[in-house]
């Protein structure tokens, strides 16, 4: 049985929005909660860049709710410095992109990633530190968009560029009343005044050693690590494309550089991103055409904002795993909650929410009391349906099939993996039977708690165990504008004596 998804440090999620794709999932201890909708027009909320990881992790890691997740990691491409420069030359040469177009897309991607991860309540004050080149221009665009997202941005831009594009960006920020601060205006401990620090100093084209005043600014970002011990909530650092001061290919070679919490790679991750150990890695920008993908043999995540036949997996179980990976990485509440619909011999339907505890090619498993209403229905009619609804991603999955009990051994193993309180609760509650009141239930629990207070193994009751639904139908639904939703269904068909899954699109 494949366990379900688990929170891992390097999962990759994509978001159902447009310009950014999440590469690395949040650390399970992350305190940065977003208050923004995951269907933002900028974010690609899905797995972390759709199953791409920069390092291997233990997929058997247990979640707090005892669900484990298995993700099928794919490879993702990383560019060296020469390749990154060549890609930019092609984009701004034969492909006709202008610098301001790419800068606007990049800045909007970064701003959206920040808004996705860091909520306004706890992370309102943002300092963007801009260098003299294109990376600094990206930072200026970030500040403008964050202002419109409701944040309070400040800009430190010590080496201004006289080119019209950059002076225009400065004018735009000044028209919004966004303060420009000199290096001397900044406190040595940047956490005193700012919640988020956007590192927009140097991009992949920078060579050599940073000079004044950027050497000092980089050191102030590095020093945040020393302030962490005395600050309850130190500033978080979000680096654009590469952390300033890092080697583009080798990363933080001396180990004493900036340690950003977030990295937003642009176009494709640079080689140094493999050394990134922060909590949030996004891929920004949707301007990589097929010609560049083919020329550099790029492997980049798809955007799950739509559900298209050419992009879904031919195996519905793997497609479900992909979407479930997305949900886990998005941090949605109760991602494994599903509506179970049954009907007895009278044909009257009955629905309730249960928790998915695992799935594999044999089916989807949940556990319950064998004396419950749903168990009675299933004993009379083994056909049932499951419905997953993930509002944050504007998605739902319907699964229909026949149900049978899991083995006693499997039920026994799962029962004893649960907290002792849950084991006692399963015995105390004769599910779906009439009881005189809540006090009666509490007393039953209290009596059993005393009975098993010696810490001995709690025997699984015979009337408790698992069910497995073996799918005969899947429908993947992705919400779209103007009610033109995507509905892709999987039906089993016999081909040359072998059962295969066929995909059909239904009208919304």
């Amino acid at each position: 049985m494949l366990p379900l998804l688990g929170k891992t440090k390097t999962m990759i999620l994509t978001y159902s929005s447009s310009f950014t794709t999440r590469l690395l999932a949040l650390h399970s201890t992350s305190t940065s909660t977003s208050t923004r909708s995951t269907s933002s027009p900028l974010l690609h909320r899905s797995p972390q860049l759709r199953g791409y990881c920069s390092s291997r992790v233990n997929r058997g890691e247990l979640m707090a709710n005892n669900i484990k997740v298995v993700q099928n990691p794919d490879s993702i491409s990383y560019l060296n410095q020469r390749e990154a420069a060549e890609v930019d030359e092609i984009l701004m040469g034969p492909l006709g992109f202008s610098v301001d177009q790419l800068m606007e897309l990049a800045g909007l991607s970064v701003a959206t990633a920040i808004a996705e991860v860091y909520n306004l309540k706890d992370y309102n004050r943002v300092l963007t530190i801009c260098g003299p080149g294109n990376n600094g221009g990206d930072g200026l665009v970030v500040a403008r968009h964050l202002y419109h997202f409701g944040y309070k941005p400040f800009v430190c831009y010590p080496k201004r560029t006289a080119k019209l594009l950059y002076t225009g960006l400065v004018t735009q920020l000044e028209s919004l009343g966004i303060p420009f601060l000199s290096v001397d205006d900044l406190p040595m401990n940047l956490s005193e005044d700012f919640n988020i620090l956007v590192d927009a100093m140097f991009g992949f084209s920078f060579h050599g050693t940073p000079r004044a005043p950027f050497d000092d600014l980089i050191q102030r970002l590095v020093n945040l690590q020393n302030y962490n011990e005395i600050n309850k909530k130190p500033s978080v650092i979000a680096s654009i494309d590469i952390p300033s001061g890092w080697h583009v290919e080798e990363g933080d070679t001396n180990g004493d550089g900036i340690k950003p919490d977030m990295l937003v790679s642009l176009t494709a991750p640079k080689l140094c991103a493999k050394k990134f150990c922060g909590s949030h890695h996004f891929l920004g920008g949707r301007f990589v055409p097929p010609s560049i993908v083919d020329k550099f043999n790029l492997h980049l995540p798809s955007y799950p904002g739509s559900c298209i036949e050419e992009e879904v997996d031919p195996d519905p179980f793997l497609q479900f795993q992909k979407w479930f990976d997305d949900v886990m990485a998005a941090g949605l509440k109760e991602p494994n909650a599903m509506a179970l619909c049954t009907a007895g011999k009278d044909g009257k339907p009955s629905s309730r929410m249960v928790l998915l505890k695992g799935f594999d090619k044999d089916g989807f498993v949940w556990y319950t009391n064998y004396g419950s209403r749903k168990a009675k229905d299933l004993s009379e009619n083994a056909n049932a349906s499951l419905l997953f609804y993930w509002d944050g991603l504007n998605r739902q999955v319907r699964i229909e099939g026949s149900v049978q009990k899991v083995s006693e051994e499997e039920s026994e193993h799962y029962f004893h993996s649960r907290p002792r309180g849950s084991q006692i609760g399963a015995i105390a509650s004769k599910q779906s039977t009439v009881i005189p009141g809540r006090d009666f239930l509490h007393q039953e629990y209290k009596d059993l708690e005393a009975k098993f207070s010696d810490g001995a193994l709690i025997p699984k009751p015979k009337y408790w165990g698992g069910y497995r639904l073996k799918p005969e139908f899947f429908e993947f639904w992705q919400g779209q504008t103007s009610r033109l939703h995507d509905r892709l269904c999987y039906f089993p068909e016999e081909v040359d004596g072998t059962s295969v899954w066929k995909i059909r699109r239904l009208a919304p």
Side-chain angles (χ1 to χ4, degrees):
M1 147 81 73
L2 284 177
L4 290 186
L5 279 177
K7 284 188 178 178
T8 61
K9 293 183 179 179
T10 53
M11 286 175 55
I12 299 172
L13 260 207
T14 14
Y15 296 78
S16 54
S17 40
S18 10
F19 299 144
T20 63
T21 299
R22 182 172 226 141
L23 286 171
L24 297 178
L26 324 180
H27 287 300
S28 57
T29 56
S30 172
T31 58
S32 52
T33 16
S34 170
T35 57
R36 295 187 174 275
S37 166
T38 58
S39 58
S40 154
L42 263 196
L43 280 188
H44 214 67
R45 185 176 269 303
S46 120
Q48 317 127 314
L49 256 206
R50 182 140 317 275
Y52 303 89
C53 289
S54 61
S55 62
R56 292 204 176 266
V57 296
N58 177 11
R59 298 293 178 187
E61 179 180 343
L62 281 173
M63 293 177 60
N65 59 357
N66 286 332
I67 293 186
K68 294 187 292 183
V69 175
V70 171
Q71 194 175 25
N72 298 316
D74 300 316
S75 62
I76 185 170
S77 299
Y78 294 83
L79 299 177
N80 60 35
Q81 191 171 37
R82 178 190 59 78
E83 291 169 333
E86 189 175 353
V87 167
D88 269 11
E89 290 173 2
I90 295 172
L91 285 170
M92 291 183 286
L95 294 182
F97 283 91
S98 63
V99 176
D100 53 335
Q101 277 183 304
L102 298 181
M103 198 172 285
E104 189 67 27
L105 287 169
L108 186 53
S109 296
V110 175
T112 304
I114 289 172
E116 167 61 32
V117 174
Y118 305 113
N119 66 62
L120 278 168
K121 179 177 180 292
D122 298 320
Y123 297 89
N124 179 259
R125 295 171 65 86
V126 184
L127 173 66
T128 301
I129 306 175
C130 299
N134 290 348
N135 203 256
D138 295 340
L140 296 175
V141 176
V142 170
R144 169 159 45 80
H145 286 294
L146 287 179
Y147 172 88
H148 292 295
F149 289 172
Y151 292 82
K152 186 172 180 54
F154 299 79
V155 175
C156 179
Y157 190 22
K159 296 289 185 180
R160 300 194 181 191
T161 301
K163 294 180 180 178
L164 184 61
L165 169 60
Y166 298 87
T167 58
L169 290 173
V170 169
T171 299
Q172 293 164 22
L173 298 183
E174 290 176 338
S175 71
L176 296 174
I178 295 175
F180 280 78
L181 307 177
S182 69
V183 175
D184 293 336
D185 292 331
L186 303 177
M188 290 305 298
N189 178 6
L190 296 174
S191 291
E192 293 178 2
D193 291 348
F194 308 105
N195 311 120
I196 302 172
L197 303 168
V198 179
D199 163 26
M201 288 179 276
F202 302 118
F204 69 82
S205 61
F206 178 79
H207 294 82
T209 302
R211 292 178 292 186
F214 297 105
D215 53 352
D216 173 66
L217 289 168
I218 289 175
Q219 191 56 48
R220 293 195 200 190
L221 295 183
V222 171
N223 288 342
L224 287 177
Q225 300 161 75
N226 301 325
Y227 297 129
N228 284 356
E229 298 179 2
I230 59 176
N231 285 283
K232 292 182 179 180
K233 185 175 290 185
S235 301
V236 295
I237 302 172
S239 290
I240 300 177
D241 208 22
I242 70 168
S244 294
W246 280 31
H247 189 283
V248 178
E249 297 173 2
E250 298 173 13
D252 183 13
T253 53
N254 297 322
D256 56 0
I258 297 174
K259 303 292 190 297
D261 183 61
M262 172 184 285
L263 174 63
V264 184
S265 295
L266 301 176
T267 307
K270 313 308 178 282
L271 278 172
C272 66
K274 290 186 176 183
K275 306 295 179 64
F276 172 73
C277 295
S279 300
H280 314 284
H281 188 185
F282 290 82
L283 178 60
R286 298 194 66 174
F287 39 74
V288 183
S291 59
I292 288 182
V293 171
D294 295 339
K295 178 177 175 63
F296 294 92
N297 193 27
L298 296 180
H299 298 280
L300 300 176
S302 60
Y303 288 83
S306 60
C307 190
I308 302 173
E309 289 84 341
E310 291 77 12
E311 294 181 356
V312 298
D313 198 286
D315 185 329
F317 292 94
L318 295 181
Q319 182 60 36
F320 181 86
Q321 180 71 67
K322 287 180 178 180
W323 273 24
F324 197 80
D325 286 351
D326 292 354
V327 177
M328 291 298 299
L332 301 189
K333 186 178 180 181
E334 298 286 9
N336 58 318
M338 58 185 185
L340 167 65
C341 187
T342 59
K345 61 183 178 182
D346 58 5
K348 293 181 179 179
S350 177
S351 299
R352 76 287 292 161
M353 301 300 295
V354 297
L355 296 179
L356 177 67
K357 292 302 180 181
F359 75 94
D360 58 16
K361 291 300 181 71
D362 292 325
F364 292 72
V365 174
W366 68 93
Y367 292 87
T368 188
N369 189 303
Y370 287 150
S372 63
R373 163 74 183 274
K374 53 186 168 293
K376 181 177 182 297
D377 283 353
L378 290 170
S379 69
E380 298 174 351
N381 178 0
N383 296 304
S385 68
L386 305 174
L387 171 64
F388 295 86
Y389 176 60
W390 299 308
D391 179 64
L393 300 183
N394 203 16
R395 290 176 176 174
Q396 58 181 319
V397 178
R398 292 196 300 124
I399 305 172
E400 299 174 2
S402 59
V403 179
Q404 62 181 13
K405 291 180 179 178
V406 305
S407 68
E408 184 68 13
E409 179 183 10
E410 192 173 343
S411 292
E412 187 84 32
H413 181 269
Y414 176 74
F415 181 80
H416 290 114
S417 74
R418 290 157 57 93
R420 287 181 69 85
S422 297
Q423 296 179 43
I424 293 173
I427 300 173
S429 173
K430 306 301 186 289
Q431 196 175 106
S432 298
T433 61
V434 177
I435 57 175
R438 187 168 181 81
D439 290 342
F440 173 84
L441 190 62
H442 278 294
Q443 188 60 50
E444 286 285 304
Y445 184 92
K446 186 176 180 180
D447 293 344
L448 288 167
E449 194 175 35
K451 179 179 178 180
F452 297 116
S453 61
D454 58 358
L457 185 72
I458 300 174
K460 182 189 78 66
K462 291 294 184 182
Y463 52 78
W464 190 95
Y467 285 101
R468 176 180 284 105
L469 182 144
K470 186 173 180 61
E472 298 165 1
F473 168 84
F474 286 82
E475 179 185 319
F476 293 85
W477 182 96
Q478 174 71 64
Q480 299 292 351
T481 58
S482 302
R483 208 189 161 279
L484 299 180
H485 313 307
D486 292 314
R487 295 178 62 191
L488 295 187
C489 299
Y490 291 73
F491 301 85
E493 288 187 3
E494 289 290 328
V495 177
D496 297 329
T498 302
S499 180
V500 297
W501 291 98
K502 292 292 186 180
I503 301 175
R504 293 191 180 93
R505 175 177 288 270
L506 300 184

